[in-house]
Amino acid sequence: DELLGLDANDDGKLTWGELKDRENNLIRYVESRLVITDDGRPASLRYNALSVNRHQDEGYAVLGFELPNHVNSGTLTLEYRVLMDHDPLHRCLTSSPSDGITAVMSRDRPQIRLNGPVSFSTHAMSLVAEGAHHIWTGYDHLLFLLALLLPAVLRRTDHGWAPVVKSSDSMREIFKVVTAFTAAHSLTLSAAALGLVQLPSQLVESSIAASIIIAALANLRSGNGGSTTTHRRPVPQLLAATMKPWTIAFVFGLIHGFGFAGALNDLGLSHHHSALPLVAFNTGVELGQLACVAAFLPLAILLRNTSFYRRTALPLGSIAIILLAGGWMTERLFEVSFMPF
């Protein structure tokens, strides 16, 4: 709509009539950015009538096309730049009925050869890369982890936060948090990707935002407190008092797994060919997650003895996380858009 002005009356809603009125504009746009060459010569594609289908609770425009009969299927090259100049995160998927996804194309890799299925290793590595890319651009997942990792180098005392004496204790706590999060989201990612459990995407995405808020709010309670006042504490502080960080990571990690499953389904996962995409994508998620932890851990250990970390970085960082997650939850609950990312 932003590129082609599909919403004729500018009411924020696209109708079939508005889409159909701009069908020629849409085809011309795609033609200029989707090119299949046969032995170096552009093939003349025959486009079918526009249609719409539902995927992940959203409506999508579908534009089918056919290749001329005379092309040599062994020398075809696909160059795809649709939407990529407008959205750097956009992806193009190529697949075949026999082996599922065969390639994932991006702005950095807009061209591939279409000379049959890619190798097992190439297929797997492209999905590993997509898993890592998803966690690095999945700011909600990263902020949830950050909310749990920020206090991992500290301990609660009756007088407030104090640094953990041994670095090994911090590393052990972080290991438990990351392991619990990994185990939890791997369970629900597998169940959802295999079609065993399905939840509405709006519920999943809103719950992910809520989990970030709860995890960050728990960081704002600095003291141990007494057990006699437990029943008077707000829910987030009660969670902090009764649940370990790794427990919170596991409980809410189950919800995050459904979010990862949505991303995997967007990559065209077929239930008949799910083992490789599931394992490869989840491996990429874990590697991307470990890279982020590896970048965070040395700095947190270095700063844990400073009052800046305990009195500024932890509380202000947690407040910033709460504000961001609150914005996301508002967007997802009420289906509005105002956040910059």
Side-chain angles (χ1 to χ4, degrees), residues 55-235:
H55 180 66
Q56 293 290 308
D57 297 337
E58 298 287 349
Y60 282 79
V62 179
L63 187 60
F65 63 89
E66 299 174 0
L67 285 167
N69 294 327
H70 60 79
V71 299
N72 182 354
S73 60
T75 60
L76 295 180
T77 299
L78 168 65
E79 182 177 337
Y80 180 98
R81 299 183 185 274
V82 178
L83 295 179
M84 289 182 176
D85 53 350
H86 181 70
D87 178 9
L89 302 182
H90 184 65
R91 293 293 185 266
C92 171
L93 312 173
T94 66
S95 63
S96 68
S98 61
D99 62 358
I101 300 172
T102 58
V104 180
M105 301 172 65
S106 65
R107 189 165 68 173
D108 297 329
R109 190 195 179 205
Q111 190 176 82
I112 60 170
R113 292 290 300 272
L114 296 176
N115 53 353
V118 298
S119 66
F120 177 89
S121 58
T122 302
H123 184 184
M125 288 308 299
S126 69
L127 290 169
V128 169
E130 283 305 305
H133 180 268
H134 179 71
I135 193 70
W136 289 334
T137 57
Y139 304 117
D140 47 2
H141 304 297
L142 289 180
L143 281 186
F144 176 71
L145 264 181
L146 181 61
L148 294 174
L149 294 178
L150 275 172
V153 294
L154 304 174
R155 56 188 176 87
R156 288 188 173 94
T157 70
D158 293 335
H159 305 289
W161 290 107
V164 172
V165 178
K166 297 181 179 179
S167 299
S168 58
D169 293 337
S170 296
M171 295 178 67
R172 188 179 304 111
E173 186 65 27
I174 290 175
F175 175 79
K176 289 191 289 186
V177 168
V178 172
T179 301
F181 184 63
T182 297
H185 74 62
S186 295
L187 284 174
T188 46
L189 167 60
S190 301
L194 294 174
L196 302 177
V197 182
Q198 297 294 330
L199 293 178
S201 61
Q202 184 181 22
L203 173 63
V204 170
E205 296 302 322
S206 300
S207 299
I208 288 174
S211 73
I212 302 169
I213 295 173
I214 292 174
L217 280 172
N219 295 341
L220 300 181
R221 185 185 70 85
S222 59
N224 276 323
S227 60
T228 57
T229 61
T230 298
H231 65 284
R232 300 178 184 175
R233 298 176 189 171
V235 171

Side-chain angles (χ1 to χ4, degrees), residues 267-330:
L267 289 177
L269 173 68
S270 166
H271 292 170
H272 301 292
H273 307 282
S274 54
L276 173 61
L278 181 58
V279 172
F281 183 82
N282 198 43
T283 299
V285 169
E286 306 317 325
L287 291 176
Q289 181 177 284
L290 288 175
C292 295
V293 172
F296 165 83
L297 182 57
L299 183 62
I301 290 177
L302 182 65
L303 296 177
R304 75 184 191 279
N305 290 311
T306 66
S307 59
F308 166 79
Y309 189 88
R310 300 191 302 273
R311 299 176 184 176
T312 303
L314 176 63
L316 292 186
S318 298
I319 291 172
I321 291 172
I322 291 167
L323 293 175
L324 285 171
W328 289 332
M329 189 165 69
T330 301

